Amino acid sequence: MTSYDKPIAHLLARFAADQRANPMLVERFGEDIHGRIVDVLGNSLAATTTAVFPVTSTVVRTWGGAPHATAIGLNQRVPTASATFHNGTLAHALDFDDTHLPSVLHPSASVIPAVIATAEAVDASYDALVAAAAVGIEITNRLGMAGYDDALGNSVFFERGLHATSICGTLGSAVAVAMLLGGDQDVIGHAIGLAASMGAGLLEANRTGGTVKKIHCGWAAHAGTVAAELAVAGLTGPPTVLEGRFGFLQAHCGDRVDLAALTGDLGTGWTLGDVGFKPYPCNIYTHPVIDAALMLRERGITADELDWVEAGVAKPTLRTIAEPPEKKASPTTGYEAQFSGPYAFAAAMLGGGGLGVGLQDFTDAAAVEPQRRALAGRVRMVESDTATAAFPRRISCVLRYGTQQGQVGEIAIPVNRGFGARTLTADEHLMKFRSNASTALPAPQVEALEMALQRLPQTSMTDLMSGLRQLAPSHGSPDRKGY
């Protein structure tokens, strides 16, 4: 690895400490961070209606401890680290969270819950919140990019079956929390050193089942928060924790590491613009397949008319959304359906909601609908050279199809919706938030929360979360009082 005068953790900690006093961050990133807070809260509220909510809410209430931060969906506070675990789990549970390309990780689902809970606990200013969130997401993204191999055309983390979102998000969350707790450069550096021993996440559940991936961002937020709290209390980490022989990068990525992506133009170049928002609540590799199906519908072609479908996608994505093919063609739960290319196509052709495909398309009942299964069984997932060449800077698809009447056609999706020139509009963002929040709250309370979020720059996170706590959904608490 490249030699540095100072350890890399030192450079990242200095960057974080310097940005905390940067008066331009709110002007530059305030609107962006506000949008990510809105997106995370909407996703999290929708997730309170899923099976993971009683799991995490039961666990964090069992843990007990000093009540400092709000657990979303409950009308009570819990310890900050417990809130970050619960809220981070909800933020990622629906696979509806934002995504950074080309690292293909979800930075906000860990960093934003950690920032929200800590800002509430210490009653941080909005400027401090924005700085912590921007820096935490930046470090998360850069760590992900350090493990991206251009020659390989994929993340080394993913090639090894590691979930970069959870692993890198732990360090980004630790830095953000340490900033909000008032840690100086040395404390932030130690938070990085401690968090590097805590990040974890395996991707086997994407292939063969299990719901453990739902907690990956919650665990990252929790571990990052604990690392920062321990650093503030005096625990120390190794200075060369990132680049060392037994350090973070060597352990996770071996020699295939791009240190320039981690430290180059640090403080002047930012990656926030490379983080897009998801329009559909499922694995991002399925999104261009959905885009193609929606375009097919616009052409007037129905599911009943289709004889065969061949969806060409990037080769590295096949293991996630196409293999094993028999399982992907017949998901047994809504969660399994979120990682199935054939099912995503069927859902887009036969379902609909939200921005084209909605939460109702990924319920357990929808996943086993005979008509959807029959159509998914006619979808063959293959490698597209075009999509592979574009991946992962763009998630694309070349879809070919044949009809019962003998018509053959092709639809090319060069970039998935929500990214590049296809970013979501302000109205689409608002539609997504309202759709998500309304699954957990009645319309008047969704409107009240929306108005409270609009006031956030002038109010504190403590006040916002106090109001949200009073809106605790009926499935989480019987007390729904409103703002």
Side-chain angles (χ1 to χ4, degrees):
M1 293 186 184
T2 304
S3 176
Y4 287 84
D5 293 337
K6 296 285 188 179
I8 296 176
H10 174 92
L11 301 179
L12 297 182
R14 185 174 64 194
F15 159 70
D18 289 346
Q19 293 305 316
R20 182 166 46 198
N22 184 348
M24 300 301 293
L25 276 190
V26 171
E27 180 179 341
R28 185 173 182 183
F29 297 124
E31 185 176 346
D32 181 284
I33 296 303
H34 185 272
R36 299 190 190 283
I37 292 171
V38 171
D39 194 63
V40 164
L41 287 179
N43 294 339
S44 300
L45 282 168
T48 64
T49 66
T50 69
V52 76
F53 173 78
V55 173
T56 57
S57 59
T58 297
V59 168
V60 298
R61 283 183 289 189
T62 301
W63 284 344
H68 292 308
T70 300
I72 294 173
L74 302 177
N75 66 345
Q76 67 182 85
R77 286 182 171 184
V78 296
T80 307
S82 299
T84 61
F85 170 68
H86 174 78
N87 298 344
T89 297
L90 296 180
H92 185 60
L94 294 171
D95 241 85
F96 218 171
D97 38 338
D98 62 14
T99 307
H100 175 260
L101 296 178
S103 69
V104 197
L105 51 73
H106 311 289
S108 293
S110 55
V111 174
I112 293 296
V115 165
I116 287 175
T118 307
E120 177 187 5
V122 302
D123 199 18
S125 70
Y126 187 70
D127 287 10
L129 180 154
V130 169
V135 170
I137 290 173
E138 183 68 20
I139 288 177
T140 300
N141 293 344
R142 284 176 174 266
L143 286 166
M145 286 304 300
Y148 171 71
D149 189 323
D150 216 7
L152 184 66
N154 198 12
S155 164
V156 180
F157 289 99
F158 284 94
E159 286 291 324
R160 294 185 171 200
L162 301 169
H163 195 189
T165 292
S166 183
I167 295 167
C168 301
T170 300
L171 277 68
S173 297
V175 171
V177 172
M179 291 173 66
L180 288 171
L181 293 179
D184 59 17
Q185 179 179 323
D186 287 342
V187 167
I188 296 171
H190 288 307
I192 294 171
L194 300 177
S197 285
M198 299 179 179
L202 300 176
L203 290 170
E204 185 63 14
N206 281 4
R207 296 183 63 255
T208 57
T211 55
V212 63
K213 182 176 174 289
K214 288 178 181 286
I215 70 161
H216 280 188
C217 289
W219 189 254
H222 171 83
T225 301
V226 171
E229 291 178 343
L230 290 170
V232 169
L235 200 65
T236 61
T240 54
V241 69
L242 294 174
E243 72 273 32
R245 170 65 181 85
F246 299 116
F248 177 90
L249 293 170
Q250 183 66 232
H252 291 300
C253 302
D255 294 326
R256 303 176 84 164
V257 172
D258 182 1
L259 291 182
L262 179 55
T263 59
D265 70 5
L266 186 64
T268 56
W270 291 79
T271 63
L272 271 176
D274 300 323
V275 184
F277 291 88
K278 282 185 175 183
Y280 317 123
C282 48
N283 183 269
I284 195 168
Y285 297 158
T286 69
H287 285 205
V289 179
I290 292 172
D291 291 339
L294 295 175
M295 190 173 292
L296 195 60
R297 288 179 66 168
E298 291 177 6
R299 291 184 179 182
I301 295 175
T302 67
D304 290 339
E305 293 177 278
L306 290 170
D307 183 38
W308 58 268
V309 177
E310 183 180 270
V313 297
K315 182 178 180 179
T317 70
L318 289 170
R319 72 191 69 175
T320 299
I321 64 171
E323 299 170 0
E326 63 280 358
K327 190 171 184 66
K328 296 301 181 180
S330 303
T332 58
T333 67
Y335 189 60
E336 289 179 6
Q338 289 177 301
F339 298 89
S340 166
Y343 177 84
F345 177 85
M349 289 296 298
L350 295 167
L355 296 177
V357 170
L359 294 170
Q360 65 269 41
D361 292 304
F362 293 97
T363 63
D364 291 350
V368 297
E369 279 184 8
Q371 193 178 6
R372 296 188 185 210
R373 283 198 162 194
L375 180 55
R378 299 200 297 274
V379 179
R380 181 169 170 256
M381 303 294 298
V382 299
E383 178 188 0
S384 160
D385 291 340
T386 302
T388 298
F391 182 84
R393 299 187 185 279
R394 297 190 305 278
I395 314 297
S396 55
C397 172
V398 178
L399 186 116
R400 299 180 65 248
Y401 63 92
T403 68
Q404 303 284 355
Q405 296 76 27
Q407 177 187 356
V408 175
E410 180 176 296
I411 293 175
I413 304 295
V415 59
N416 56 305
R417 186 179 177 193
F419 291 79
R422 303 187 69 201
T423 54
L424 299 185
T425 66
D427 286 344
E428 288 172 329
H429 277 291
L430 186 56
M431 186 187 304
K432 177 182 175 181
F433 170 77
R434 288 173 175 171
S435 175
N436 279 334
S438 65
T439 64
L441 300 172
Q445 294 189 356
V446 173
E447 184 178 352
L449 178 57
E450 186 182 325
M451 292 176 63
L453 284 164
Q454 292 173 359
R455 296 192 299 267
L456 179 58
Q458 288 75 46
T459 59
S460 71
M461 186 57 64
T462 304
D463 291 338
L464 176 73
M465 298 307 283
S466 175
L468 183 61
R469 204 161 54 248
Q470 294 175 40
L471 293 179
S474 56
H475 50 267
S477 164
D479 302 319
R480 295 189 296 167
K481 301 175 184 177
Y483 276 87

